[in-house]
Structure formats: C-alpha cells, structure tokens
Amino acid sequence: MSKHIRKAVFPVAGLGTRFLPATKAMPKEMLTVVDRPVLQHVVEEAREAGIEHFIFVTGRNKGVIEDHFDIAYELEDTLRKRGKAKEYELLMSALPPPGATSFTRQQAPLGLGHAIWCARDIVGDEPFAVLLPDMVTMGTGPKKNRCLSQCMDAYNSYGGNIIAVEEVPKEDTDQYGIVSLGKDFGDTFEITGMVEKPPKGTAPSNLIISGRYILGPEIFDLLSKGKQGAGGEIQLTDSMIELAKMQSFHGVRFDGRTFDCGSKLGFLAANVAFALADPALASGFQNELRKIVGGF
Ligand code: G1P
C-alpha cells in the first residue's frame, strides 16, 4: 500500500511582476478570487484532498501570508461581541489546526526546483504533494472534487509519482513543462518523458504540467545538485526527469477547470467562474455581465 500523503508544499516566493502595481506591497498569492485570496483557494483544495500539514516556502515581503493562516484576535473578538456568527464561523472554518503550518524562506529566486528543495527538512523522508498557487482549480466533474483529490485517487491506485496535466493550444506549449504519453488508461496514463519549456514546435505533446504533483522524497537528493535548466533556473521538471529513471510517473487528466491566476486573463476568468458558481452572487452577477458585454 502507498504511504499516506500528509504534507503539501506551496511555493509562494514569486515576485508577481505580471500584476504590478497591485503586487508592489502585497504578495500576488493574496489577490482575491471573489472573496478569498488565491492561496486560500489552493489551501482549501489541499485540505479537501486530506493534507494535514501545510508548508509555505515564502520570501521577503510575504509576512501577510503567515498572518492570514493564523488567528486574528481583535477581529474575531469584535465579530463575536457584535454577534456576527456567520463571519466568525467563516474565519474559523478556514483556520488550519495549531501546528499544522510551517514557513520557510527561499532567499533568492533561483527557480521552482530550488523553492521545493528549501522545504526538504520540513517534509522529511515521506512522499508529499506540491501545489503551485498560481493555478486555481475548480472541480466540475460528478464528484466536484478538485485536482489534488483526483491526483490522490491516482496515487492510491498506482503509487509512485503523480503529475496533473491539462491540454493547451500547441502554440502555448513553450511556456510550460510538457509530458510525453505512454500507456493510456483514459483519466490517467504513464508518463514516458518530460521537458521544461520546450522551444516552439518541439513539444512532444500539448499536455502541460499543470501545477499539482505528488512526489517521492528522493526528489530532494536530485534537487540538491542545483543544476540550472530552462531560463537559467533550477527546474523541478529536470529533477523529475532524473527521478523517472528510477520510479514510476503517472499523469492525471484533471476533470475540471484550471485557471492560471499568474496571468491577468486566467485571474479574471477565475473571478468570473467562481462568482457564477456562488449561489449568492450568480444571478446578480449574470445581470451585471450582460450589461457590460452588451455595451452597458
Ligand atoms: C512551472 C513549472 C512548469 C509548469 C508551470 C505551471 O513553471 O516549472 O513545469 O508547467 O509551472 O504553471 P513557471 O510557471 O514557474 O514558469
């Protein structure tokens, strides 16, 4: 039986240059999709998938992330005293249990592989999940479960390493990690190769690595070599290519929608999709959208 996945790593050290000036003083992970930060959506996805310990790899100027996942004493006390039970409960239900969060810093922006390596001592010698906070997922399948939960199902069937994938138009493949397909089981398949940001026209498929991973702890030894790859960065994909020589990798075609909130278009689309999925907002928001699209 595969080992239970208890811990997840969230690399949140990125500068967010694509969202300046919004991200001048505020971490990009704190931008809101409807009523909660992008990062809270992703942490909720991890909780839903059974994750018990949340490891944030932060950087300078990211202190507010730590505050967001802690109690806010004065605020909570005021809500209680004013009888705002609903708002109070909303905060309490999102609060991780005591001792269930860890924070470490990536001191320099050396790449995703380096960020994950910074969490090695906190993860220890057990398989773990990685969730890239730019990617916000919405379960639209029959179970409405989000991407990491679907990865966990695949992990329970196959063990080894799991990567969620998503189709993109061929012309966009140079912006992502791309996988090659082996034996195909429909929702899942064997991964026979990976490449990070292949030059235009050379990608082995249009299936991108979409930001949810389950990895064995052996990845850390490979990452510790600190080899630079695409864009001069220490790439997670390069160490996964090495790990795939020793262990199995399966891909999961996520039954749902993924929004790349690292881009303005993806972020705006996420806001529209989540607002339309909220029963309290849906009809009013549809009216507003109709007015805007119809030219006011
Ligand atoms: C990272 C990964 C890449 C993946 C992408 C998903 O790239 O290295 O394999 O496809 O996230 O967003 P980045 O977006 O950090 O350049």
Side-chain angles (χ1 to χ4, degrees):
M1 215 181 110
S2 307
K3 261 194 177 167
H4 179 52
I5 307 294
R6 300 187 307 125
K7 299 180 181 175
V9 178
F10 302 82
V12 289
L15 295 175
T17 44
R18 279 190 273 179
F19 280 91
L20 285 169
T23 49
K24 184 180 171 194
M26 182 179 68
K28 64 171 175 168
E29 298 80 8
M30 294 303 288
L31 294 172
T32 52
V33 169
V34 183
D35 61 356
R36 62 204 63 196
V38 165
L39 184 55
Q40 188 175 330
H41 283 280
V42 181
V43 166
E44 283 170 8
E45 176 183 337
R47 285 182 87 159
E48 185 184 283
I51 293 298
E52 297 161 14
H53 195 106
F54 308 85
I55 302 166
F56 300 91
V57 181
T58 73
R60 286 184 291 285
N61 304 324
K62 299 272 184 170
V64 68
I65 291 178
E66 210 161 328
D67 294 340
H68 187 77
F69 292 102
D70 194 0
I71 63 163
Y73 180 76
E74 292 82 357
L75 172 63
E76 289 154 14
D77 192 46
T78 308
L79 292 176
R80 264 194 308 264
K81 284 181 180 145
R82 293 190 183 166
K84 296 210 174 275
K86 212 174 112 212
E87 288 79 1
Y88 178 75
E89 273 316 309
L90 189 68
L91 295 186
M92 288 301 110
S93 62
L95 187 67
T101 51
S102 295
F103 297 84
T104 187
R105 280 192 180 193
Q106 185 187 23
Q107 295 162 332
L110 299 179
L112 176 61
H114 179 260
I116 303 304
W117 179 73
C118 289
R120 66 198 177 283
D121 284 345
I122 308 175
V123 172
D125 190 23
E126 57 185 282
F128 64 103
V130 174
L131 296 98
L132 304 190
D134 274 351
M135 305 303 249
V136 171
T137 77
M138 181 185 248
T140 54
K143 288 200 278 174
K144 295 263 182 246
N145 56 343
R146 284 179 261 192
C147 190
L148 188 64
S149 157
Q150 295 181 23
C151 292
M152 290 287 195
D153 291 344
Y155 175 77
N156 291 330
S157 305
Y158 303 112
N161 303 272
I162 306 288
I163 300 177
V165 302
E166 188 88 4
E167 275 186 36
V168 299
K170 273 209 167 73
E171 58 274 18
D172 293 341
T173 48
D174 60 327
Q175 299 164 33
Y176 297 97
I178 307 292
V179 302
S180 315
L181 259 95
K183 208 165 162 194
D184 201 340
F185 310 107
D187 297 343
T188 56
F189 59 90
E190 282 173 10
I191 293 177
T192 52
M194 291 170 252
V195 54
E196 183 65 23
K197 304 197 174 73
K200 275 197 190 300
T202 67
S205 76
N206 65 340
L207 291 175
I208 66 157
I209 297 173
S210 64
R212 301 294 182 267
Y213 313 73
I214 295 174
L215 298 170
E218 297 78 10
I219 195 83
F220 290 121
D221 276 347
L222 299 163
L223 287 171
S224 69
K225 293 180 187 154
K227 223 176 82 198
Q228 290 178 349
E233 297 191 345
I234 301 169
Q235 296 289 355
L236 180 59
T237 305
D238 292 341
S239 288
M240 294 197 299
I241 292 169
E242 290 302 309
L243 190 57
K245 292 176 185 161
M246 300 174 263
Q247 297 182 1
S248 76
F249 270 76
H250 284 87
V252 172
R253 291 185 176 92
F254 172 46
D255 186 8
R257 278 217 59 183
T258 304
F259 300 96
D260 184 351
C261 291
S263 80
K264 282 183 191 161
L265 267 186
F267 174 75
L268 294 170
N271 269 289
V272 173
F274 277 81
L276 292 175
D278 181 342
L281 289 173
S283 85
F285 187 53
Q286 267 174 19
N287 288 339
E288 292 301 327
L289 278 180
R290 268 192 219 106
K291 281 193 251 168
I292 295 169
V293 175
F296 297 91

